[in-house]
Amino acid sequence: MPWPGALSQRASTPASGSISNMYAVNLARYQRYPDCKQRGLRALPPLALFTSKECHYSIKKGAAFLGLGTDSVRVVKADERGKMIPEDLERQISLAKAEGAVPFLVSATSGTTVLGAFDPLEAIADVCQHHGLWLHVDAAWGGSVLLSQTHRHLLAGIQRADSVAWNPHKLLSTGLQCSALLLRDTSNLLKRCHGSQASYLFQQDKFYDVALDTGDKVVQCGRRVDCLKLWLMWKAQGEQGLQRRVDQAFALARYLVEELKKREGFELVMEPEFVNVCFWFVPPSLRGKKGSPDYSERLSKVAPILKERMVRKGSMMIGYQPHGTRSNFFRMVVANPALTRADMDFLLNELERLGQDL
């Protein structure tokens, strides 16, 4: 497995990237305060974890599930491209300490949900190292980029992480669901943190290496063998085949961007660095009126109307959302390995057809 550095190849396969993120928070908390497993929250001081404003919602949800509360999540500023700002991370850590909280984890993101941003992991790792914090990287979306020799630079610094969440069922299109949590730790931290040693299930006197049994390391008891899906696909496609899958997605996203620029009525939100292509469709009635007072309000209504039309027609389905002060825009995620340039052309042609009367 071409994961860099010292991250353990003993991968737990939780239920999803969201669960992987929650596991990372729990592991980081247990590593610092192992008494919390037995004594619960009363064994803990006020804790603080840090993540970008562009993070996945599962970070706050995980904090709530673990009893830390969403207030324990300190939101770090992101730049105009959606990347965490290390200087603000440093500031937030100092502020948390001054308020009496104990920082224990930073969750960086490699491939944010909306803009597809990759946080600057090297700089974030430096901050974590300076303060002695657990570095978790939510690479559920962007982790598969590591398979590409051309694009893996986006993940520079990930080898310094203590934990990484990775979803092969996203960019690699492994059958749902297939998620992995990779850990730097090799001391069986997962089992120490989560294990219950139920003697009726997890007998240790077996004829094979019981360290291979992940059952007592995770929250679920009965579950599917999700890792088999990745193994079978890897065997069938090979490392070069999976690299081609990633590189093809980048190439198609670039083709879509260039075609968008050629057509009247399409406007990029920003130049993408990943395969999230974010753009507005500006209908004929709004073209040339960008400076008008109600332009943003009127533009925000376009994407929902077009989404309804495409769904009712059954031609395609593309997500949209607002972002900060930006009006609703479409987010085309170019991930399906079966997509072709003809599909990208159809996408643009269909939006023009559906919106020509707006």
Side-chain angles (χ1 to χ4, degrees), residues 233-272:
M233 187 179 72
W234 211 315
K235 291 287 285 185
Q237 297 287 328
E239 190 169 324
Q240 290 185 348
L242 296 184
Q243 177 172 269
R244 283 193 298 270
R245 185 166 288 191
V246 174
D247 289 342
Q248 178 188 2
F250 273 87
L252 275 179
R254 176 45 49 188
Y255 174 80
L256 177 59
V257 167
E258 296 307 318
E259 291 301 306
L260 274 167
K261 293 176 179 179
K262 296 176 184 177
R263 301 196 184 206
E264 184 182 10
F266 291 92
E267 183 182 346
L268 276 174
V269 173
M270 65 176 60
E271 287 283 345

Side-chain angles (χ1 to χ4, degrees), residues 248-263 266-268 270-272 274-280 316 318 330-335 339-351:
Q248 178 188 2
F250 273 87
L252 275 179
R254 176 45 49 188
Y255 174 80
L256 177 59
V257 167
E258 296 307 318
E259 291 301 306
L260 274 167
K261 293 176 179 179
K262 296 176 184 177
R263 301 196 184 206
F266 291 92
E267 183 182 346
L268 276 174
M270 65 176 60
E271 287 283 345
F274 194 22
V275 296
N276 301 38
V277 181
C278 300
F279 65 92
W280 289 282
M316 57 187 187
I318 310 167
F330 285 111
R331 173 171 53 96
M332 175 61 187
V333 178
V334 186
L339 289 174
T340 65
R341 288 189 172 193
D343 295 314
M344 302 298 99
D345 295 336
F346 174 82
L347 160 69
L348 299 179
N349 292 335
E350 184 69 356
L351 284 174

Side-chain angles (χ1 to χ4, degrees), residues 19 31 48 56 94 101 105 116 118 129 132 137 142 147 167 169 182 185 189 203 216 237 271 280 283 303 337:
I19 297 294
Q31 185 191 57
H56 192 260
S94 298
L105 173 140
F118 287 75
Q129 183 175 339
V137 178
L147 292 163
N167 283 3
H169 68 232
L182 297 105
D185 179 87
L189 180 64
Q203 296 90 358
D216 205 22
Q237 297 287 328
E271 287 283 345
W280 289 282

Side-chain angles (χ1 to χ4, degrees), residues 54 113-116 267-270 276-281 296 299-304 307 318-332 351:
E54 299 289 328
T113 304
V114 178
L115 300 178
E267 183 182 346
L268 276 174
V269 173
M270 65 176 60
N276 301 38
V277 181
C278 300
F279 65 92
W280 289 282
F281 174 74
S296 181
L299 182 62
S300 190
K301 297 176 181 178
V302 173
K307 177 67 176 288
I318 310 167
Y320 71 86
Q321 67 282 304
H323 184 267
T325 59
R326 299 180 177 107
S327 304
N328 283 324
F329 55 82
F330 285 111
R331 173 171 53 96
M332 175 61 187
L351 284 174

Side-chain angles (χ1 to χ4, degrees), residues 46-50 60 63-64 67-75 101 104:
L47 297 178
L49 61 139
F50 305 84
K60 283 194 173 183
L68 295 170
T70 56
D71 284 351
S72 68
V73 181
R74 307 294 181 107
V75 179
F104 74 106

Side-chain angles (χ1 to χ4, degrees), residues 16 20 68 71 103 117 145 159 163 169 175 187 233 238 244 252 282 290 293-294 338 342 351:
S16 68
S20 296
L68 295 170
D71 284 351
V145 173
Q159 73 278 5
S163 57
H169 68 232
S187 67
M233 187 179 72
R244 283 193 298 270
L252 275 179
V282 183
K290 197 168 185 178
D294 61 347
L351 284 174

